[in-house]
């Protein structure tokens, strides 16, 4: 979630191909280059004119627009010379209404997003009917914005991809019913998207990463470790047995009343904890990481949350302040909870790497760990994971922060990945339903636990 609160943004990423597409024929939505802009285009244009003139009875006097339409039918695209597949991605699984258009090569033609963070911060958490109403109010505008920033007409889309699982039922429903109407109107294929699959594959948009790779997804709603063997081929190694780390950090931030802190009032809970932790001393509180004896890759954060709750209560007594006021030790508590969270995530991830290497599921010399989800934008946690990847000769990769949190780009990119792989492209949308709960891949977490791999101690000097 961007720190800007309940706000909207739209942008076109300045990719060469997008910047090159300058002036569209008015109202057509088609990008058209000036004649003579480049010798290659000039020749292409003139050859097309010739071919068109020779195509008896098709066009009497071909306009530039007709020429370009003709070119595009042969995959020749003015400005890029090739017409790539284009996917519109729509995301409404939680509290962000987001849309984007992405092409086959990973160029983001345009995106738009409306974040509900500010509203939910005020109510102390997401109230599903409120989220639903805000999605309803914004979805049409956001999709329209993403398309217009992209300077494409909807008819040029190859498919529409939308998150249908997992997530808040009421939120998923808004995105799905809007998308199905659009699919019906435009007669385009529909690609249903698993939100976590999209988070996991985002790295392939920004980096050249081959399958298989390991992924740690950590956000407000999810916490899992999986081996990604293909676009829709996942082995689940471990997951949170209770709440997700982002949820825990949000609860701690709320309990510390960080919304009243002048420096944190517009930040999500996790971001506020990271910000405040920089001013604190983690050694003032000794909070043990959970599940130290369980030799698996599962996680747990609710015990940690209760321990911190108790600590806060005790400190409030000591400092003689009421619940709702900010403790003088808030920064120290933030530093301690962040450190314990980082250690817990690092330990389980370390075991997952060792398990995968032991079973030859990952390359011995060139293994990649991808970390994504809102919590992955935390630099302290990234450093802890870097200690693990350095010790195991792995490469740590994280998408840029704005692609770690929920966005439309990852959904559109997942659509492109599925189009390329020919997986899950629906031409008939009858019976498509959203699924609030949906596991990712094949769960082998029991097998991981049975392997009982002992993880060597690492010094977490961050
Ligand atoms: O991926 P995301 O946007 O939404 C889902 O939960 O799917 O993640 C949002 C979560 C929130 O819990 C937020 O507190 C957390 O990510 N978060 C952070 C940071 N920024 C956002 N947690 C720790 N450090 C951060 N810098
Ligand atoms: Zn997410």
């Amino acid at each position: 979630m961007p720190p800007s609160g309940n706000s909207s943004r739209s942008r076109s990423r300045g990719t060469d191909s997008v910047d090159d597409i300058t002036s569209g024929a008015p109202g057509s939505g088609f990008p058209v280059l000036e004649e003579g802009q480049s010798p290659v285009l000039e020749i292409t244009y003139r050859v097309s004119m010739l071919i068109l003139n020779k195509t008896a009875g098709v066009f009497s006097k071909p306009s530039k627009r007709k020429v370009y339409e003709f070119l595009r039918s042969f995959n020749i695209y003015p400005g890029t010379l090739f017409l790539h597949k284009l996917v519109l991605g729509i995301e409404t699984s939680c509290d962000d209404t987001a849309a984007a258009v992405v092409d086959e090569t990973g160029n983001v033609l345009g995106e738009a997003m409306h974040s509900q963070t500010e509203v939910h911060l005020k109510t102390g958490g997401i109230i599903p009917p409120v989220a639903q109403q805000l999605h309803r109010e914004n979805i049409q505008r956001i999709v329209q914005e993403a398309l217009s920033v992209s300077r494409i007409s909807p008819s040029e889309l190859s498919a529409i991809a939308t998150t249908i699982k997992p997530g808040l039922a009421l939120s998923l429903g808004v995105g799905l019913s809007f998308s199905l109407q659009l699919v019906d109107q435009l007669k385009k294929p529909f690609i249903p998207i698993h939100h976590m699959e999209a988070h996991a594959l985002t790295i392939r948009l920004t980096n050249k990463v081959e399958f298989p790779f390991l992924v740690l997804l950590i956000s407000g709603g999810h916490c899992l470790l999986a081996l990604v063997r293909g676009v829709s081929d996942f082995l689940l190694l471990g997951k949170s047995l209770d709440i997700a780390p982002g949820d825990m950090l949000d609860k701690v931030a709320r309990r510390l009343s960080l919304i009243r802190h002048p420096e944190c009032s517009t930040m999500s809970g996790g971001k506020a904890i990271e910000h405040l932790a920089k001013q604190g001393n983690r050694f003032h509180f000794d909070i043990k990481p959970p599940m130290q004896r369980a030799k698996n890759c599962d996680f747990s954060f609710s015990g940690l949350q209760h321990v911190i709750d108790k600590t806060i209560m005790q400190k409030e007594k000591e400092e003689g302040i009421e619940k709702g006021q900010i403790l003088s030790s808030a920064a120290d508590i933030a530093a301690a909870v962040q450190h314990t969270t980082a250690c817990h995530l690092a330990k389980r991830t370390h075991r997952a790497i060792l398990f995968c290497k032991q079973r030859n599921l990952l390359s011995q010399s060139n293994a990649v760990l991808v970390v994504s989800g809102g919590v992955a934008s935390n630099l302290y946690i990234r450093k802890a994971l870097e200690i693990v990847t350095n010790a195991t000769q792995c490469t740590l990769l994280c998408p840029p922060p704005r692609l770690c949190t929920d966005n439309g780009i990852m959904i559109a990119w997942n659509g492109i990945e599925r189009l390329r792989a020919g997986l899950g492209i629906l031409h008939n949308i009858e019976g498509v339903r959203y699924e609030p709960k949906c596991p990712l891949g094949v769960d082998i977490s029991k097998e991981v636990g049975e392997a009982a791999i002992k993880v060597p101690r690492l010094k977490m000097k961050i």
Side-chain angles (χ1 to χ4, degrees):
M1 286 180 258
S4 49
N6 180 30
S7 61
S8 297
R9 65 184 156 95
S10 63
R11 73 180 115 185
S12 126
R13 265 214 334 212
T15 56
D16 291 346
S17 53
V18 178
D19 285 346
D20 281 348
I21 299 167
T22 47
S23 53
S28 70
F30 290 142
V32 176
L33 279 178
E34 285 310 305
E35 199 179 336
Q37 174 153 343
S38 87
V40 183
L41 270 181
E42 179 73 30
I43 293 163
T44 319
Y45 180 83
R46 285 183 191 285
V47 170
S48 319
M49 289 280 279
L50 271 173
I51 300 171
L52 275 172
N53 282 328
K54 293 226 178 248
T55 315
V58 178
F59 309 119
S60 50
K61 192 171 169 233
S63 66
K64 205 186 275 182
R65 174 178 161 175
K66 291 256 157 50
V67 172
Y68 287 138
E69 274 178 6
F70 180 75
L71 284 174
R72 287 136 85 90
S73 69
F74 286 92
N75 258 12
I76 298 169
Y77 195 73
T80 59
L81 275 188
F82 295 101
L83 177 62
H84 300 297
K85 288 193 169 77
L86 297 173
V87 171
L88 166 68
I90 299 176
E91 157 67 33
T92 64
S93 68
C94 190
D95 60 349
D96 291 315
T97 317
V101 177
V102 175
D103 81 5
E104 205 175 356
T105 62
N107 283 334
V108 179
L109 275 67
E111 68 163 317
M113 139 103 84
H114 176 265
S115 165
Q116 306 173 359
T117 308
E118 209 172 88
V119 173
H120 300 310
L121 273 176
K122 277 188 196 135
T123 49
I126 299 174
I127 300 169
V130 174
Q132 178 190 42
Q133 183 55 28
L134 290 169
H135 282 306
R136 278 190 184 143
E137 285 169 15
N138 290 290
I139 189 156
Q140 178 150 11
R141 177 178 63 83
I142 289 300
V143 170
Q144 246 161 18
E145 252 174 61
L147 285 169
S148 69
V149 172
S150 306
R151 299 206 210 162
I152 62 146
S153 81
S155 64
E156 292 178 86
L157 293 169
S158 314
I160 295 166
T162 302
T163 308
I164 68 151
K165 60 192 175 183
L168 298 173
L170 295 178
S171 295
L172 287 167
V174 178
L176 180 59
S177 63
F178 181 87
S179 303
L180 293 185
Q181 275 175 40
L182 203 60
V183 160
D184 192 44
Q185 273 167 22
L186 298 172
K187 306 282 174 260
K188 298 285 175 187
F190 181 60
I191 308 179
I193 299 293
H194 190 298
H195 183 82
M196 303 314 286
E197 179 180 306
H199 269 308
L201 297 179
T202 305
I203 198 70
R204 282 164 52 85
L205 178 144
T206 54
N207 298 59
K208 205 176 170 325
V209 181
E210 302 292 338
F211 300 118
F213 58 90
L214 191 64
V215 70
L216 170 68
L217 296 178
I218 38 179
S219 71
H222 316 281
C223 178
L224 61 85
L225 264 165
L227 183 73
V228 189
R229 299 194 297 185
V231 171
S232 115
D233 183 4
F234 289 73
L235 290 182
L236 186 68
L237 305 170
K239 60 181 183 316
S240 176
L241 302 178
D242 38 64
I243 58 174
D247 191 8
M248 182 271 293
L249 293 172
D250 290 340
K251 285 180 167 130
V252 172
R254 224 174 294 145
R255 186 63 186 78
L256 285 170
S257 305
L258 298 189
I259 194 160
R260 299 198 182 167
H261 193 291
E263 291 165 29
C264 309
S265 61
T266 59
M267 293 178 185
S268 67
K271 195 163 173 58
I273 296 279
E274 180 177 25
H275 179 81
L276 217 58
K278 288 186 195 132
Q279 305 160 23
N281 183 343
R282 72 174 174 84
F283 295 102
H284 286 183
F285 294 94
D286 183 25
I287 304 169
K288 296 260 175 300
M291 300 180 76
Q292 303 233 59
R293 291 218 183 112
K295 289 196 181 59
N296 55 31
C297 292
D298 288 331
F299 305 85
S300 166
F301 293 95
S302 62
L304 189 55
Q305 188 214 322
H306 288 125
V307 169
I308 295 157
D309 257 7
K310 266 198 202 156
T311 309
I312 295 172
M313 220 147 51
Q314 196 184 329
K315 275 279 143 195
E316 281 170 347
K317 252 190 211 160
E318 273 173 39
E319 292 187 17
I321 65 165
E322 297 277 305
K323 192 173 172 178
Q325 289 176 283
I326 297 177
L327 283 169
S328 69
S329 49
D332 297 336
I333 294 173
V337 67
Q338 179 176 253
H339 180 77
T340 309
T341 304
C343 290
H344 183 45
L345 292 170
K347 182 87 171 239
R348 319 316 272 187
T349 306
H350 194 169
R351 180 169 288 116
I353 293 172
L354 297 178
F355 175 84
C356 289
K357 289 204 173 190
Q358 194 188 73
R359 304 280 162 113
N360 262 327
L361 294 168
L362 271 179
S363 154
Q364 297 294 333
S365 58
N366 195 21
V368 170
L369 168 69
V370 172
V371 186
S372 195
V375 180
S377 50
N378 184 297
L379 296 182
Y380 190 93
I381 291 172
R382 283 192 191 191
K383 278 191 192 145
L385 293 165
E386 211 170 83
I387 293 174
V388 171
T389 50
N390 286 342
T392 49
Q393 289 87 46
C394 290
T395 305
L396 174 67
L397 295 175
C398 304
R402 73 183 190 90
L403 292 182
C404 276
T405 50
D406 291 351
N407 62 83
I409 296 172
M410 68 179 193
I411 307 304
W413 174 246
N414 200 160
I416 291 281
E417 289 263 33
R418 282 184 165 266
L419 263 187
R420 290 200 302 209
L423 288 167
I425 306 149
L426 306 184
H427 296 275
N428 178 354
I429 50 174
E430 235 171 79
V432 177
R433 304 271 182 275
Y434 59 81
E435 294 171 56
K437 281 197 168 37
C438 181
L440 180 73
V442 178
D443 188 346
I444 61 158
S445 56
K446 204 162 165 259
E447 197 181 323
V448 175
E450 280 160 8
I453 293 174
K454 200 165 178 321
V455 175
R457 235 177 204 291
L458 292 179
K459 255 211 161 126
M460 283 294 159
K461 251 186 124 183
I462 304 169

